[in-house]
mmCIF file of all heavy atoms in Angstrom:
data_model
loop_
_atom_site.group_PDB
_atom_site.id
_atom_site.type_symbol
_atom_site.label_atom_id
_atom_site.label_comp_id
_atom_site.label_asym_id
_atom_site.label_seq_id
_atom_site.Cartn_x
_atom_site.Cartn_y
_atom_site.Cartn_z
ATOM 1 N N ASN B 14 122.143 112.301 114.986
ATOM 2 C CA ASN B 14 121.412 112.792 113.811
ATOM 3 C C ASN B 14 120.308 111.897 113.270
ATOM 4 O O ASN B 14 119.747 112.154 112.259
ATOM 5 C CB ASN B 14 122.410 113.169 112.611
ATOM 6 C CG ASN B 14 123.313 114.323 113.008
ATOM 7 O OD1 ASN B 14 122.885 115.185 113.776
ATOM 8 N ND2 ASN B 14 124.411 114.318 112.414
ATOM 9 N N LYS B 45 129.925 84.656 78.400
ATOM 10 C CA LYS B 45 131.109 84.580 77.699
ATOM 11 C C LYS B 45 131.067 85.511 76.443
ATOM 12 O O LYS B 45 130.095 85.958 76.000
ATOM 13 C CB LYS B 45 131.372 83.164 77.051
ATOM 14 C CG LYS B 45 131.436 81.923 78.111
ATOM 15 C CD LYS B 45 131.726 80.777 77.589
ATOM 16 C CE LYS B 45 131.859 79.687 78.631
ATOM 17 N NZ LYS B 45 130.698 79.533 79.467
ATOM 18 N N GLY B 46 132.332 85.847 75.960
ATOM 19 C CA GLY B 46 132.468 86.533 74.737
ATOM 20 C C GLY B 46 132.297 88.104 74.970
ATOM 21 O O GLY B 46 131.972 88.599 76.081
ATOM 22 N N GLU B 52 123.248 93.343 75.249
ATOM 23 C CA GLU B 52 123.423 93.126 76.665
ATOM 24 C C GLU B 52 124.420 94.177 77.117
ATOM 25 O O GLU B 52 125.612 94.128 76.924
ATOM 26 C CB GLU B 52 124.132 91.694 76.832
ATOM 27 C CG GLU B 52 123.201 90.664 76.468
ATOM 28 C CD GLU B 52 123.770 89.403 75.708
ATOM 29 O OE1 GLU B 52 124.997 89.643 75.397
ATOM 30 O OE2 GLU B 52 123.231 88.374 75.689
ATOM 31 N N SER B 79 118.933 109.524 102.510
ATOM 32 C CA SER B 79 119.517 110.244 103.631
ATOM 33 C C SER B 79 120.962 109.979 103.664
ATOM 34 O O SER B 79 121.502 109.071 103.271
ATOM 35 C CB SER B 79 118.818 109.635 104.899
ATOM 36 O OG SER B 79 119.356 108.497 105.220
ATOM 37 N N PHE B 113 104.789 105.424 106.196
ATOM 38 C CA PHE B 113 103.344 105.475 106.243
ATOM 39 C C PHE B 113 102.778 105.965 104.944
ATOM 40 O O PHE B 113 101.824 105.594 104.316
ATOM 41 C CB PHE B 113 102.948 106.249 107.493
ATOM 42 C CG PHE B 113 101.475 106.676 107.436
ATOM 43 C CD1 PHE B 113 100.480 105.700 107.850
ATOM 44 C CD2 PHE B 113 101.071 107.879 107.124
ATOM 45 C CE1 PHE B 113 99.091 105.960 107.751
ATOM 46 C CE2 PHE B 113 99.697 108.247 107.109
ATOM 47 C CZ PHE B 113 98.752 107.251 107.378
ATOM 48 N N LYS B 117 99.509 102.235 100.450
ATOM 49 C CA LYS B 117 98.288 102.469 99.599
ATOM 50 C C LYS B 117 97.252 102.965 100.594
ATOM 51 O O LYS B 117 97.006 102.309 101.575
ATOM 52 C CB LYS B 117 97.838 101.288 98.975
ATOM 53 C CG LYS B 117 98.750 100.764 97.744
ATOM 54 C CD LYS B 117 98.260 99.560 97.142
ATOM 55 C CE LYS B 117 99.073 99.116 95.956
ATOM 56 N NZ LYS B 117 98.618 97.797 95.425
ATOM 57 N N ASP B 138 101.749 111.633 116.849
ATOM 58 C CA ASP B 138 101.806 110.929 118.186
ATOM 59 C C ASP B 138 101.972 109.477 117.988
ATOM 60 O O ASP B 138 102.565 108.772 118.638
ATOM 61 C CB ASP B 138 100.657 111.220 119.022
ATOM 62 C CG ASP B 138 100.633 112.602 119.562
ATOM 63 O OD1 ASP B 138 101.729 113.283 119.643
ATOM 64 O OD2 ASP B 138 99.526 113.177 119.938
ATOM 65 N N GLY B 150 112.199 97.575 121.870
ATOM 66 C CA GLY B 150 111.866 96.111 121.740
ATOM 67 C C GLY B 150 110.447 95.729 122.233
ATOM 68 O O GLY B 150 110.207 94.614 122.344
ATOM 69 N N ARG B 170 94.407 81.839 95.520
ATOM 70 C CA ARG B 170 95.714 82.132 96.092
ATOM 71 C C ARG B 170 95.516 82.792 97.440
ATOM 72 O O ARG B 170 94.770 83.853 97.508
ATOM 73 C CB ARG B 170 96.534 83.028 95.138
ATOM 74 C CG ARG B 170 97.777 83.570 95.782
ATOM 75 C CD ARG B 170 98.449 84.674 94.713
ATOM 76 N NE ARG B 170 98.677 83.824 93.447
ATOM 77 C CZ ARG B 170 98.306 84.340 92.189
ATOM 78 N NH1 ARG B 170 97.697 85.570 92.183
ATOM 79 N NH2 ARG B 170 98.671 83.643 91.137
ATOM 80 N N ALA B 175 98.550 92.450 106.421
ATOM 81 C CA ALA B 175 99.267 92.858 107.591
ATOM 82 C C ALA B 175 98.508 93.978 108.324
ATOM 83 O O ALA B 175 97.819 94.825 107.616
ATOM 84 C CB ALA B 175 100.740 93.200 107.401
ATOM 85 N N VAL B 182 106.397 99.558 109.637
ATOM 86 C CA VAL B 182 107.796 99.070 110.091
ATOM 87 C C VAL B 182 108.411 98.223 109.002
ATOM 88 O O VAL B 182 109.560 98.332 108.880
ATOM 89 C CB VAL B 182 107.652 98.326 111.452
ATOM 90 C CG1 VAL B 182 109.020 97.959 111.955
ATOM 91 C CG2 VAL B 182 106.926 99.222 112.460
ATOM 92 N N PHE B 205 110.096 93.116 91.798
ATOM 93 C CA PHE B 205 109.863 93.933 92.900
ATOM 94 C C PHE B 205 111.052 94.574 93.496
ATOM 95 O O PHE B 205 111.262 94.696 94.659
ATOM 96 C CB PHE B 205 109.160 93.138 94.003
ATOM 97 C CG PHE B 205 107.748 92.701 93.670
ATOM 98 C CD1 PHE B 205 107.439 91.383 93.758
ATOM 99 C CD2 PHE B 205 106.849 93.678 93.050
ATOM 100 C CE1 PHE B 205 106.191 90.893 93.381
ATOM 101 C CE2 PHE B 205 105.542 93.168 92.798
ATOM 102 C CZ PHE B 205 105.360 91.975 92.821
ATOM 103 N N SER B 243 111.848 78.584 103.756
ATOM 104 C CA SER B 243 112.223 78.131 105.039
ATOM 105 C C SER B 243 112.687 79.298 106.033
ATOM 106 O O SER B 243 113.463 80.117 105.567
ATOM 107 C CB SER B 243 113.474 77.187 105.025
ATOM 108 O OG SER B 243 114.225 77.065 106.166
ATOM 109 N N ILE B 260 117.320 94.031 113.818
ATOM 110 C CA ILE B 260 116.651 93.834 112.570
ATOM 111 C C ILE B 260 116.205 92.375 112.395
ATOM 112 O O ILE B 260 115.105 92.166 111.849
ATOM 113 C CB ILE B 260 117.617 94.220 111.408
ATOM 114 C CG1 ILE B 260 117.924 95.772 111.550
ATOM 115 C CG2 ILE B 260 117.129 93.868 110.049
ATOM 116 C CD1 ILE B 260 116.695 96.677 111.054
ATOM 117 N N TYR B 302 120.741 83.690 97.170
ATOM 118 C CA TYR B 302 121.621 82.805 97.657
ATOM 119 C C TYR B 302 121.349 81.345 97.189
ATOM 120 O O TYR B 302 122.333 80.608 96.916
ATOM 121 C CB TYR B 302 121.596 82.888 99.184
ATOM 122 C CG TYR B 302 122.285 84.065 99.653
ATOM 123 C CD1 TYR B 302 121.526 85.171 100.234
ATOM 124 C CD2 TYR B 302 123.723 84.268 99.844
ATOM 125 C CE1 TYR B 302 122.172 86.230 100.721
ATOM 126 C CE2 TYR B 302 124.243 85.426 100.148
ATOM 127 C CZ TYR B 302 123.538 86.407 100.788
ATOM 128 O OH TYR B 302 124.173 87.614 101.170
ATOM 129 N N ARG B 313 129.156 81.330 83.868
ATOM 130 C CA ARG B 313 130.471 81.665 83.536
ATOM 131 C C ARG B 313 131.492 80.667 83.445
ATOM 132 O O ARG B 313 132.523 80.752 82.799
ATOM 133 C CB ARG B 313 130.906 82.757 84.570
ATOM 134 C CG ARG B 313 130.159 84.102 84.472
ATOM 135 C CD ARG B 313 130.592 85.183 85.335
ATOM 136 N NE ARG B 313 130.221 85.024 86.655
ATOM 137 C CZ ARG B 313 131.121 84.654 87.649
ATOM 138 N NH1 ARG B 313 132.414 84.382 87.293
ATOM 139 N NH2 ARG B 313 130.743 84.449 88.803
ATOM 140 N N TRP B 337 119.071 80.718 77.604
ATOM 141 C CA TRP B 337 119.524 80.047 76.326
ATOM 142 C C TRP B 337 121.002 79.733 76.301
ATOM 143 O O TRP B 337 121.754 80.558 76.717
ATOM 144 C CB TRP B 337 118.950 80.811 75.123
ATOM 145 C CG TRP B 337 119.169 82.288 75.087
ATOM 146 C CD1 TRP B 337 120.205 82.920 74.477
ATOM 147 C CD2 TRP B 337 118.294 83.349 75.591
ATOM 148 N NE1 TRP B 337 120.212 84.245 74.728
ATOM 149 C CE2 TRP B 337 119.095 84.522 75.286
ATOM 150 C CE3 TRP B 337 117.212 83.315 76.355
ATOM 151 C CZ2 TRP B 337 118.517 85.704 75.786
ATOM 152 C CZ3 TRP B 337 116.603 84.522 76.681
ATOM 153 C CH2 TRP B 337 117.258 85.782 76.393
#
Side-chain angles (χ1 to χ4, degrees):
N14 291 329
K45 295 181 176 68
E52 296 145 345
S79 72
F113 168 76
K117 292 181 178 179
D138 289 339
R170 176 181 300 128
V182 181
F205 293 128
S243 166
I260 294 288
Y302 289 103
R313 288 186 287 107
W337 46 92

